[in-house]
Amino acid sequence: MIAGAGFVLWQKRVGILAMLLLVGALLAMADALRGGFLGGGGLIELLPGSNYAISGPMPPKTTTIKEFVIEGQPEDGSVRIVPGAIFSGYLFGGSMWRGAIVVETNAREGQYQFKIKESTGEKQNPSLVFTVKVWPDQLTLNANSPSSLTRWTGRNPFFIALGLVLCGMLAAGANFILGRLWARHLAAHQCGEIYKLRRTERGTEITCEIHCDCTIHPGMPGKIYRPSGEVVCPAKVSTCENNQVLMLVDEPALVRLGDVGCLLPAATEEKERTSGILPD
């Protein structure tokens, strides 16, 4: 029994690790959602030398891209909207356009608002208003992120949450495997974890999950161990049915749930009987 104590020790450690990783994933997800709620509300944050794909409905009374009027572009054109092509909308089939926000390498830090309309003075469609914030570099962009994890690590908090979830699942899987190995080790030595402890007229009775066979009988000696392998006290089989072994313990104050009850092999039983430890 002692030889397999490492299974339960590592199972506990890996279980704690899995719990910490999954809790960390929840915190990372909360940080990511918080960053989304406190974000720029439609603000597009870009760096010099980057492109950002956009699309939208056609402005009223327009049929071609040449009819677009784009307001808000700086005179040097360092930040600009470049319409690309017209296509049919996926939901209702109306005409839409796609294009990109282009930020040149010489673009200055600042905030730009672009409005796409037509020349006849129709009411501005709010979905055709794009607000762009240009940051000088990635470090400055990260430092101004509403996400704490992005400010600390420079990483997307959703990716951090995903990584923690995957690692937590691996740790949980290892915990399950170690638990199965521990259970097989106990079964191979006619042992079982104590999951019930109660006081009866005959004394304190513990219940272990041990496979019942013809070798187990009332009065058969046993011992109680800590999961680490330390001996707690002797015990004696009371009954065995439905793969549950009930044993009476000699020192009930020392026994607790989660300890391990083991049956002594026949050779050990005979040795203790002939030596006078057990009565005939």
Side-chain angles (χ1 to χ4, degrees), residues 128-150:
L128 294 176
V129 177
F130 301 91
T131 304
V132 179
K133 174 67 177 180
V134 177
W135 297 100
D137 50 55
Q138 188 66 52
L139 290 177
T140 306
L141 173 60
N142 293 340
N144 289 274
S145 172
S147 165
S148 298
L149 285 175
T150 300

Side-chain angles (χ1 to χ4, degrees), residues 82-274:
V82 180
I86 297 174
F87 66 98
S88 296
Y90 301 111
L91 186 58
F92 299 109
S95 294
M96 299 186 69
W97 64 275
R98 63 168 62 94
I101 300 174
V102 178
V103 183
E104 300 291 349
T105 55
N106 63 338
R108 297 181 179 180
E109 178 181 356
Q111 185 163 304
Y112 306 85
Q113 187 177 77
F114 301 97
K115 296 180 180 180
I116 300 178
K117 56 175 66 176
E118 39 70 49
S119 59
T120 60
E122 290 287 334
K123 184 178 180 181
Q124 175 66 53
N125 186 339
S127 65
L128 294 176
V129 177
F130 301 91
T131 304
V132 179
K133 174 67 177 180
V134 177
W135 297 100
D137 50 55
Q138 188 66 52
L139 290 177
T140 306
L141 173 60
N142 293 340
N144 289 274
S145 172
S147 165
S148 298
L149 285 175
T150 300
R151 293 197 300 271
W152 297 337
T153 67
R155 304 291 183 182
N156 188 318
F158 285 106
F159 292 154
I160 294 176
L162 177 61
L164 290 172
V165 166
L166 294 177
C167 292
M169 292 176 64
L170 288 174
N175 176 267
F176 174 78
I177 292 173
L178 288 169
R180 296 288 294 179
L181 291 174
W182 174 240
R184 288 176 59 183
H185 174 77
L186 293 179
H189 292 79
Q190 284 195 306
C191 300
E193 289 191 359
I194 299 173
Y195 64 89
K196 187 184 297 184
L197 191 154
R198 62 173 183 165
R199 296 185 181 277
T200 66
E201 296 179 354
R202 298 177 296 172
T204 299
E205 190 176 65
I206 57 98
T207 305
C208 304
E209 188 173 359
I210 300 177
H211 179 69
C212 292
D213 57 35
C214 59
T215 63
I216 302 175
H217 54 83
M220 185 177 182
K223 281 188 179 180
I224 308 300
Y225 296 86
R226 295 282 186 245
S228 58
E230 302 169 358
V231 178
V232 177
C233 66
K236 186 179 295 184
V237 174
S238 172
T239 59
C240 180
E241 56 184 16
N242 298 325
N243 289 330
Q244 294 179 344
V245 172
L246 281 67
M247 291 191 281
L248 294 173
V249 296
D250 295 345
E251 300 179 51
L254 301 178
V255 181
R256 57 196 182 200
L257 295 177
D259 285 343
V260 176
C262 292
L263 303 177
L264 295 181
T268 304
E269 179 183 1
E270 182 63 26
K271 181 178 178 181
E272 294 191 359
R273 189 180 303 279
T274 56

